[in-house]
Amino acid sequence: MAIDKYEIVIGCEIHTQLLTRTKAFCACENRYGGMPDTRVCPVCLGLPGAMPRVSKGYVELGAVAGLALNCDIASYTKFDRKHYFYPDLAKGYQITQYDLPLCTDGFVDIPFEHFPKEQQPGGDLFRPKNFAGEDCVIDGKYRRVRIERIHLEEDVGKSLHLEGKHSYIDYNRCGTPLIEIVTKPDMSSPDEAALFMQTVQEILRYVKVTKGNLEEGNMRCDANINLSVWEDGKLYHTPISEIKNLNSFKSIRDACAYEAQRQLKEFIEDRQEFNPGFKVTMGWDEAKGETVVQRTKNSFVDYRFVVEPDIKPFTVSAELVEAAAEKVGELPEQKRIRFQKEFGLTQYDSEVLTSTRDISLWFEEAAAASVSPKRVANLIISELLAVLNEKKQTILDVSITPEHIAGLADSLEQNKITSKQGKEVFAIMLETNKLPSVIIKENGMEIVSDAGEIEKIVDAVIAANPKAVADYKGGKTNVIGWLMGQVMKQSQGKANPKQATALVTEKLQKL
């Protein structure tokens, strides 16, 4: 028996905390960190008699996420109880959604340009079909991953395993509002799984439904993976492994890559095959770089889903969906394409300027006020964002306005100041909040473009440096740069560099 080939099949379940002010079903503050067990109440602790309630904002943010990921929003939905026992689950069950989720039938399109070369069209590992055998290539530029559902649910507490013999439970996170994004098994490589999560993170941050910080546990991924194996012309499927709580893009890639090889080895040695309804729950040991078995389960039996009796099924109004759609607006990939067409930006520039919605809106306001959107983009990327990154601030923390950057861009574009002076103006602008026009005037920076005035300076410099003239005649053309330096020095940096260079060259050629 010989294996002809195998393919990796991956589906993801991404858990994302929502940015509501309160927890999912009570009035406790929804915030990360703080003193353990200080933001809890009878509802999130599951005490007898406590009654949960659903906030409109919780459902609306779920709808925003669904619309941003191209889902249909249910007009009628409900909550269910999912039973399992773990120390950080205070009630012994989780309030979630089972058969009537809020969002269904969505998709995410991942740009091929971010894939490894061999997985792009024309590459050896390119896959034009998804697991269902359907075309998944969109316009030759994107690979589509289908989303089966997005449902609302609550988070559990956090287990703290400290040095010594004891573990502790912090219930502050208990009841934090979550969405769970469940994909179809459409991903065919560990790289694609990581790119999918990166794309989802970007979109959900962009529409401001989540912080999306993996290091804080705001977003985490369970990867379901198995293999399609062709052996002597016959197709087999290996058992599904669910790798839990992956909290970095690197861990998603590494864990899926390791698990694929482990399953292939297991299939070759033990003939392990797929069994519907059965899966193995795995953990990822990052230090050892390997997956480890945690438990086996049959989810339909283990979880004993029942309708949540304390929360009535409810309708989702058209008004709520409309309000959610307004909050979605233009998504980052659409905005990138428009920026490149409308403003002539490069792919890199457009990606940087759409990294957050706030940056993109700030840029657009500045670009609209300037004669040179391209120069505005350069100033924001090379100057403003560099300062913000150094200070660990966001665009919302900056004191200057888009009008400041637009004014500086126009002064540079219209040759009122040199690029060197532009850096000085930018620094003064940040310090004083004065507009560029005011700074240029106060500091006497405006470039001299009067041809007659520049010619006088050039003539004086050439007359004062006969050795440089002789060197030029002897073939040393680099003296033009040195003479230009003298012109700029004598003009106190105000001479228009282009005009001055042309005049120096012209006069030397005539000597």
Side-chain angles (χ1 to χ4, degrees), residues 133-262:
E134 302 166 341
D135 290 333
C136 60
V137 178
I138 309 299
D139 299 330
K141 297 179 180 178
Y142 305 93
R143 194 171 199 277
R144 176 163 292 179
V145 175
R146 296 170 297 162
I147 293 174
E148 181 178 305
R149 55 188 279 143
I150 302 175
H151 58 264
L152 305 174
E153 64 184 23
E154 61 179 338
D155 210 342
V156 297
K158 185 176 182 180
S159 297
L160 307 172
H161 305 294
L162 307 180
E163 289 187 18
K165 297 181 179 179
H166 303 288
S167 292
Y168 300 85
I169 307 294
D170 177 6
Y171 286 112
N172 278 345
R173 195 174 70 179
C174 218
T176 294
L178 284 178
I179 52 172
E180 182 174 341
I181 303 161
V182 182
T183 77
K184 298 284 190 180
D186 285 352
M187 286 158 274
S188 59
S189 74
D191 290 296
E192 186 178 359
L195 283 171
F196 171 76
M197 190 168 182
Q198 282 180 279
T199 306
V200 168
Q201 182 197 55
E202 177 189 57
I203 292 170
L204 296 187
R205 279 178 167 174
Y206 203 80
V207 297
K208 297 188 175 182
V209 301
T210 184
K211 282 185 181 178
N213 292 339
L214 278 69
E215 64 275 10
E216 291 182 4
N218 292 148
M219 182 179 282
R220 49 197 189 271
C221 178
D222 300 340
N224 291 273
I225 177 172
N226 74 330
L227 305 179
S228 296
V229 182
W230 285 263
E231 186 180 57
D232 293 333
K234 186 176 179 182
L235 174 61
Y236 299 89
H237 301 290
T238 60
I240 296 174
S241 293
E242 181 180 18
I243 313 172
K244 301 289 287 185
N245 293 323
L246 299 168
N247 62 357
S248 73
F249 306 129
K250 182 178 185 298
S251 67
I252 294 169
R253 275 192 298 270
D254 292 350
C256 289
Y258 177 88
E259 180 60 18
Q261 293 306 307
R262 189 200 67 79

